[in-house]
Each structure stands twice: as C-alpha cells, then as structure tokens.
Amino acid sequence: PTAAKTVLVAGGAASTPVFAGNPTIFGTFPPSKLYLAQAIEALAKAGAKSATSVFESASFTKGVCAAMPGLADKFNLTLQDEIEVVSSPTSVDLDPVARNLSMAENDPDIVVACVYDQGCAEWVASMRKTGWSPRAQVFTVCIGMDKFKDAVGTDAMYMMGVSPWDPSLDMQDQVVGWSAMEFSELFLATTQRTSTYHAASAAASVGALVQAIERADSFGTEAVSDVLASQEFNTLYGLLSFDDNGQSQAPSLHLQYDKDMSVQTVYPIEFRSAELVYPMPTWDARDCNMLSKCLTGEETGVCQEDGTCKCDSENAVSTGVGSSAQCVYIPAEDMTYVDTSLLIVGYILFAVQAFLSVACTAWTVYYRNRRVVKASQPLFLCLVAFGAFLMSLSIIPVGIQGEYRYLVDPITGVPTDEPNTDIDRVDAACMALPWLFSMGFAVTFSALFAKIWRIKLVFQAARTFVRKQVGVKDVVSIMVAVIVLQAIVLIAWNVADPLIWQREVLMEDNNGYPTRSIGTCSSTNGLAFLIPLIVIDALMLVYALYLCFVTRKVSAEFQEGTWITASILSILQILVLSIPILVIVDADNNAFYFVRVAVIFLVSSTVTMLIFFPKIYRLHFLKVQNGASRRTGFRATGQFSLTGNQTGNDSGQRTSMNSDRGSDPARRTTMDSDGGRRFSIASENGTTAICRKVAFQINSSAASASQVIEELGEDHESTTEKKTQSDTNTDEEV
C-alpha cells in the first residue's frame, strides 16, 4: 500500500520479481535475463560456436546465467556445460574448473562468468595458472571497475563484459547537460575512482524522475508514474524508457578492454567505439606483447597468436614464447673441427705405414727360404707387419667427427628431441680407435714377445749344451694369451660403457647460443677399462725388456735380439712421453689430433723399420744369401776366439778348427798337453756325416760357450741348406 503512494526510480536492481505488481516502481537496470543478449549476439556473429557458463550461487548471478540456454538456442550455439560454484569462490573452487575446461574435448569458444568482483579476479588467476583462456571471456560485472583492474593488472586485457552504460557513449543529459564522458571525469575528480554503470545509473534515475515531474507538471504519484511508464528520457545513461514491468528497455552494451587497458564499447554497432577482438589473444600472445623483447629488442618483430615473435629481419630468428619471445641473431658456431690439412697429413701417414706393412709382408713371403728370413721365422715377421698395419688403421677413426647428438632447429637454433642419425657413424668410430690400436699393438707386441722368448729358450739350452728345437707351436700360446686378454677388456668396455660422441659447448653469446664447442669421444666409466689396458701393456713391455736384458749376450746376427730390444724400448718411450703431451694439448683439437696420429704412426712405423730394415740390409747389401756368408773372424768376448788360424802368443791358449769327414759322430773329450780340456762336437745329416771339431779351453762364461754353440749351429745349418734347397723347415736348431 505504501509503495502504491510512492514513485521510486531504482538505480541498482535487475531482478524481475522486484518490480512485478508494483506499477509505481521503476528500475534503470535492464532485466537480468537480457544482460547477456548483446554479448552473445556479437560473439555468435564473430564466429563462436560453443559456450559454457560458470556462475556463483547468488540470486543476481544465477539469474543472469539462467538466460544462457535460451540465448544459445537463439544464436545457434552449443551450450557445453553450466557450472555452479559457491558464493564468493576462491582459486580452490575455480582451479579445477579451469583445468577441466582447458582439456581439448571441453575447450569452449565462450565462457560466461556470472560472478561478482571477487569471483572475477579469482577466475582470471585460475585461467592464468592453468595457462588456458577461452576465445572469449565474458563477465557480468567487473569490466571497468578499478578494483578488478588493480587485482589482475594487464591480465584484464581483452576481457569482455556487459554493462548498461559506458563513458564512451554519445549521450547528453537533459537535466544537467553533462555528457557521459563529462560525468565520468567529474566522478573521477570527486571520488578518485573510475565511474561505473552503477554510478551512471543512479545519476540517470534522478534525471529521469526530474523530467517526469516536469512533464507531468505534478507531484502526484499516478501522474508521474504514467509519464515514466510511457515516455523516453535523455540522460547521461542513455535514452531511457521502461517496459511493462517498470524495467529499463535500453540494451546492455558489450564491452572489452583494449591493448591499452581502456574499456571500449564493441557492440551494438551503432554505439561501437572500437572493433571487437575475437578470438582473444592467448596468454602467451599477451605476454609477448607486454613483457617480451619482441617489440623492443635489438632485433624486433611482431608477436603472433601462439606467443612467438615474427622477426622483421631475415637474418634474425624467433626464439622463446610469451614473455621470453624475442628475435635474435644466431651466431655462426665454431665447431672446432680438425683442419682439413691435418686430416690429409693423417691419411698420408696411414698410407705410408700401410705401404710399409704390405711391402715388408711381400718381401718376407718372397724371401722366406733365405737364411736371414728363415732364422727370424717368416710367420712372426708377417704378424709384426700386420699388427703395425692395424695400429696405423686407427688413424682413420681419429679423424671422424660429428655435430650434436640431437638435431638443432635451423630456425631457433635450439636442440630438438630428434636424434642425429649421423652420430651412429661417429659412435662406431669412437670405439674403433681403441679396438684397432689395442689389437694391432697386441698382435705386434705378441709377435715380438714370442721372438724374444724363442731367444731365451735357445739361450737356456745353449748354457747346458742341450740340443733344442724351438718352433711356432712353442710360442704361439703366448701370442694367443696376449691377444685374448686385450680382447676381453675391449669387449667388456664395448658392452658395459662404450665410448660415444659428445659435443660440449665452450662459449655462448648473450642470448645463450653457442659460439664455440668441441666434440670428443667419452664414456661415464671409460677409465675403468682404459687403465687395465694400459697396465697390462706396461707390464708386458717391462717383462719383455727384462728378457731382452737376460739374452743380451746372445749373438744377434740372425736372432735379432738387439732390434727387438730397440723396438720395445721405442714403444715404451713413445707411449710414456705421449701421455703428458696429450694432457697438455687436450683443449686444442688440432694439436690433440696431430699428437695422437703422430704417436700411432711412430709406434707402428718404428717397429716395422727396426724389425725389417736390418734384414733387408743384410740380405741385399751384405750379400747374405742362403747361408753363404764368409767369416774371417768372430770374437764374442776377450776370453776366446774362433778363427781359421791360431792366434795369440800363448801356445797353451789356442783354438783350432778342423774338418773331419770320419765315421765317428760321437762327442769326444780329450786332454791337451797343457792340461786343458778339449771338446769335439759332431753331427750327421742323412748318410753323410760332417764333423766340425772345435777345441777350446773352458775358461769362459756360460754365455760365451753358448755363442760358440750358436756359431756351430749356424755352420751346420749353412751346410744343410746347401745340400737341400727345398727344405722349408723354419725351426732353428742348436
């Protein structure tokens, strides 16, 4: 009854039931069911196809979002979901909703959030945390409110909302004469706050009531109510009129923040102050525009929808996304590859050693029946040449190089997850190096070790005056043991932790792009296998040197102890000196390559030349052919001499050589007139017995005796070779 006697123009109500049955009550807000009409119509025309509503449990918010099913049907949208949350929701309530909507199968074009100002800020934070945003985010309130803008900052950019009023409208109030913009400026100057549609609505309610009273020319309730219900009023809020329920018929406006964070009217078209931005930029795109160096760096560009930077310069590339997006110039990377000239040097050295190995092998096979070659056993000589060739072959994998293990994006310069197929070839070369060098060293060293072992066996037999034949079978087990031991360590290395190619960045530019890198073969526990190989080889070299020392007094004419000793000493010296040098030049790829190649070549070529060249010299330059060398004299120590004539002044100290073709092949011992002991040694070959008698006084060391016995064996071998040229027995007899 009281209401019927009072005219009320409310500036803050939108719920339809408030006005029903009250003909003297009017409201400047449109009905809540019409709040979203302009926004949904504008977005549907822009291309949106689906929508989801999220509303908090409150009368106004539920009423606004209740219009979504009807609006979706009207504008041919698919309403995917209607989600209700608690009143005044927080991130705890909204984060799960954002994660669910971010899934590809749920991602809607439009999300309408029917929440109050606190809910607006919380929902933006949840979307940002998820890294997802719809193509259009519409709020029922909040757009234009300082509190919302302060809470979310630049994240409010391109957010949309609905409002019955905006300062950009071209309106003039008939009572006070202010335009919408003038009212907004005065409000800001007075309250230090940005005006919203709530303030404009309150001002318009006063202006409409004043105009109605003036037109009715009365304060009567019925007269003023009739004017309000039937006429239009020019206010700063717009052209205001009321429907049958007393609510404003002015359409809601579709608003949107622009890139400068200013609110613009984007629909209806007749009130538009800016173009609608649909779809909204993604978070990455916004961060690119607001926070990245894409627009302000040394190399500039334009931010793309995906948050990357499209560079203006052809020489620059885009890197990063969102706040890290920028255009940079990728510098040329120095991969520190070995110089081509050094690689050529390495290949030449390999070719030289390969030629030496092949030539020496061919020479050995061709002259295998000559006394010089036969005494050294051709099989071992061929193995020495073959092992040296294997060692030199390791020069080839030393020069094989590669890039990164994973392909690098040519546009961004960033390594990808795609493996570089060329690395398989480089990895194989990494393990080929220790295999080729170690096995080549094992073959060469085992052959040298077997030869010096043969000399030791002959030496021991000579000291006891025992006839001894030393054949291949007597020393082949040594070679097999050395090779198998090396192979076991290499196989374990290859299976457990093989060497692989790794490239390490040495220098970067200011943007983090590599400017210098170096590639090496490495493994996590490589030293656990390399050290045993070094220790095994070192121990064998030391023991071989010991054997060389023990047999140092044995004649070296054909048993080559001197040259074997020189070879082993050379190997040991080169390997010992190379270790500190390799450590020093490790950082210089060219020097590191050259030192390794030089070590490999020196080890292989030195052994080849020390073992083969003396034999070639004796055979071709001293004319040692088939055991026909001439001796004019031999002196092993100062204690005795073996010549064709008696020497010396002491007749008691004499040595004589006689050839006796008698039938007595036995070993005889006689006494000289001076009391000295004489030995006669005889041997037979087939039906013909050749006996060479040598008398000497036993006053020398066992080593000197062995040298005389060695001479006798060589004379016997020479006679046998003359008689039987087809004899290919390579065993040395003592």
Side-chain angles (χ1 to χ4, degrees):
T2 303
K5 297 179 180 180
T6 303
V7 176
L8 175 63
V9 181
S15 179
T16 300
V18 172
F19 302 94
N22 295 302
T24 62
I25 298 179
F26 301 88
T28 53
F29 281 1
S32 56
K33 64 180 180 180
L34 298 180
Y35 259 63
L36 300 171
Q38 298 291 344
I40 301 302
E41 180 179 354
L43 293 171
K45 290 181 177 180
K49 301 297 182 184
S50 60
T52 291
S53 63
V54 178
F55 55 92
E56 64 175 280
S57 183
S59 176
F60 169 72
T61 54
K62 292 172 69 174
V64 173
C65 272
M68 280 302 298
L71 292 173
D73 289 340
K74 180 178 180 180
F75 297 108
N76 297 319
L77 298 176
T78 300
L79 185 60
Q80 296 182 178
D81 203 356
E82 295 177 274
I83 303 171
E84 181 176 1
V85 295
V86 298
S87 179
S88 301
T90 65
S91 60
V92 175
D93 308 303
L94 297 175
D95 284 354
V97 178
R99 285 194 298 268
N100 181 59
L101 294 181
S102 67
M103 300 176 66
E105 62 271 20
N106 299 330
D107 188 14
D109 292 336
I110 306 170
V111 170
V112 176
C114 299
V115 292
Y116 290 112
D117 49 357
Q118 178 183 338
C120 294
E122 294 288 345
W123 177 242
V124 171
S126 294
M127 290 192 296
R128 167 63 87 170
K129 188 184 301 181
T130 309
W132 165 85
S133 64
R135 293 160 187 79
Q137 173 60 56
V138 180
F139 290 103
T140 51
V141 295
C142 304
I143 301 301
M145 297 178 62
D146 288 339
K147 188 176 182 180
F148 171 70
K149 186 176 178 180
D150 293 341
V152 301
T154 57
D155 284 352
M157 190 184 302
Y158 303 110
M159 294 295 176
M160 305 177 192
V162 291
S163 174
W165 174 85
D166 183 74
S168 62
L169 293 176
D170 185 16
M171 298 295 178
Q172 187 82 22
D173 190 272
Q174 187 171 336
V175 176
V176 295
W178 297 335
S179 66
M181 184 58 67
E182 288 174 331
F183 170 78
S184 178
E185 292 172 352
L186 288 171
F187 187 88
L188 177 62
T190 303
T191 65
Q192 305 303 313
R193 294 189 303 165
T194 302
S195 62
T196 64
Y197 71 90
H198 305 85
S201 174
S205 63
V206 175
L209 182 58
V210 169
Q211 293 182 57
I213 293 173
E214 290 178 348
R215 293 177 187 181
D217 194 22
S218 170
F219 288 102
T221 300
E222 185 174 346
V224 174
S225 298
D226 289 342
V227 173
L228 287 171
S230 59
Q231 296 185 24
E232 296 178 340
F233 307 94
N234 289 319
T235 68
L236 57 87
Y237 189 66
L239 186 62
L240 189 61
S241 63
F242 302 97
D243 61 14
D244 294 340
N245 199 42
Q247 294 179 276
S248 173
Q249 297 186 109
S252 292
L253 305 175
H254 184 34
L255 309 178
Q256 185 177 34
Y257 281 108
D258 61 16
K259 64 179 182 179
D260 298 322
M261 294 294 293
S262 298
V263 177
Q264 302 291 343
T265 300
V266 295
Y267 198 82
I269 296 177
E270 58 269 23
F271 300 125
R272 183 172 62 192
S273 59
E275 295 287 338
L276 170 66
V277 178
Y278 177 87
M280 295 191 312
T282 62
W283 292 120
D284 285 336
R286 300 181 204 188
D287 290 343
C288 177
N289 280 293
M290 296 295 298
L291 306 174
S292 76
K293 297 180 180 179
C294 179
L295 306 178
T296 60
E298 294 181 3
E299 299 288 342
T300 59
V302 177
C303 290
Q304 303 297 293
E305 182 62 28
D306 59 359
T308 60
C309 187
K310 183 179 180 181
C311 304
D312 297 331
S313 173
E314 295 181 355
N315 296 325
V317 296
S318 174
T319 180
V321 178
S323 60
S324 62
Q326 61 180 329
C327 288
V328 298
Y329 173 75
I330 299 181
E333 182 178 356
D334 179 9
M335 308 291 277
T336 62
Y337 287 130
V338 177
D339 290 345
T340 304
S341 58
L342 284 178
L343 292 175
I344 293 174
V345 170
Y347 297 147
I348 291 174
L349 294 179
F350 163 70
V352 170
Q353 178 55 48
F355 172 77
L356 288 175
S357 296
V358 172
C360 290
T361 302
W363 179 85
T364 301
V365 173
Y366 186 78
Y367 293 104
R368 64 186 180 279
N369 291 323
R370 294 297 182 93
R371 184 182 178 194
V372 173
V373 178
K374 184 185 294 185
S376 299
Q377 293 193 323
L379 175 60
F380 291 147
L381 292 177
C382 290
L383 287 175
V384 170
F386 176 69
F389 172 76
L390 275 183
M391 281 193 289
S392 67
L393 193 60
S394 63
I395 292 176
I396 302 300
V398 170
I400 296 178
Q401 307 162 94
E403 297 183 354
Y404 289 93
R405 295 196 66 81
Y406 295 93
L407 295 178
V408 176
D409 191 321
I411 297 178
T412 63
V414 177
T416 65
D417 295 331
E418 184 178 356
N420 186 352
T421 56
D422 183 61
I423 292 300
D424 294 337
R425 175 183 64 89
V426 187
D427 286 346
C430 285
M431 277 311 298
L433 173 60
W435 268 100
L436 290 172
F437 185 82
S438 296
M439 296 309 295
F441 179 84
V443 172
T444 300
F445 176 81
S446 62
L448 294 176
F449 192 84
K451 292 171 75 64
I452 199 66
W453 187 261
R454 287 176 61 245
I455 297 175
K456 178 178 179 295
L457 295 178
V458 172
F459 175 70
Q460 289 176 340
R463 296 185 64 177
T464 58
F465 297 98
V466 176
R467 180 183 180 88
K468 180 70 174 178
Q469 289 185 344
V470 183
V472 174
K473 64 180 181 297
D474 296 306
V475 293
V476 71
S477 58
I478 298 174
M479 299 181 60
V480 173
V482 172
I483 295 173
V484 169
L485 188 60
Q486 297 267 27
I488 290 174
V489 177
L490 288 169
I491 291 173
W493 191 357
N494 207 98
V495 172
D497 189 19
L499 289 170
I500 60 174
W501 181 259
Q502 296 285 3
R503 180 162 289 278
E504 178 186 1
V505 176
L506 302 178
M507 297 177 62
E508 296 179 344
D509 66 359
N510 295 332
N511 296 315
Y513 287 98
T515 57
R516 183 180 176 83
S517 63
I518 187 170
T520 57
C521 294
S522 62
S523 63
T524 305
N525 301 305
L527 289 178
F529 302 96
L530 181 61
I531 291 177
L533 285 175
I534 295 175
V535 171
I536 292 171
D537 293 341
L539 291 177
M540 291 190 298
L541 284 171
V542 171
Y543 185 63
L545 287 175
Y546 167 74
L547 293 180
C548 291
F549 176 79
V550 170
T551 60
R552 69 191 183 281
K553 292 185 179 181
V554 176
S555 171
E557 182 178 1
F558 299 119
Q559 300 201 18
E560 60 196 340
T562 301
W563 303 116
I564 295 175
T565 303
S567 298
I568 295 174
L569 280 173
S570 298
I571 293 174
L572 184 61
Q573 182 179 10
I574 293 171
L575 294 180
V576 169
L577 291 177
S578 66
I579 293 175
I581 296 175
L582 286 172
V583 172
I584 293 172
V585 302
D586 179 63
D588 189 331
N589 215 22
N590 285 324
F592 191 62
Y593 168 81
F594 181 76
V595 172
R596 287 186 294 171
V597 169
V599 169
I600 295 170
F601 176 75
L602 288 175
V603 170
S604 57
S605 62
T606 300
V607 172
T608 304
M609 290 187 288
L610 287 175
I611 296 300
F612 284 94
F613 282 17
K615 296 175 178 55
I616 295 173
Y617 177 77
R618 294 187 64 84
L619 181 61
H620 297 287
F621 296 95
L622 294 183
K623 304 300 181 183
V624 180
Q625 298 180 3
N626 241 4
S629 62
R630 296 182 178 269
R631 278 191 188 87
T632 59
F634 175 87
R635 182 174 299 273
T637 67
Q639 297 173 338
F640 71 90
S641 63
L642 179 61
T643 63
N645 300 315
Q646 182 177 337
T647 60
N649 298 323
D650 187 356
S651 60
Q653 300 285 336
R654 58 191 175 86
T655 303
S656 63
M657 174 181 290
N658 296 306
S659 177
D660 198 357
R661 299 182 183 274
S663 60
D664 183 9
R667 177 179 299 179
R668 298 187 298 278
T669 304
T670 62
M671 299 296 296
D672 198 355
S673 60
D674 61 1
R677 180 177 298 175
R678 298 189 181 193
F679 284 83
S680 296
I681 301 175
S683 62
E684 289 184 335
N685 182 17
T687 59
T688 303
I690 301 175
C691 178
R692 297 185 181 220
K693 299 178 181 178
V694 178
F696 57 91
Q697 185 175 355
I698 304 300
N699 59 0
S700 60
S701 66
S704 300
S706 66
Q707 291 171 331
V708 174
I709 294 170
E710 178 188 347
E711 289 295 326
L712 296 177
E714 292 172 0
D715 288 341
H716 170 64
E717 182 184 8
S718 175
T719 304
T720 303
E721 289 178 0
K722 288 181 178 180
K723 296 176 65 67
T724 310
Q725 291 293 333
S726 61
D727 184 5
T728 59
N729 179 23
T730 60
D731 292 337
E732 185 174 348
E733 299 180 357
V734 178

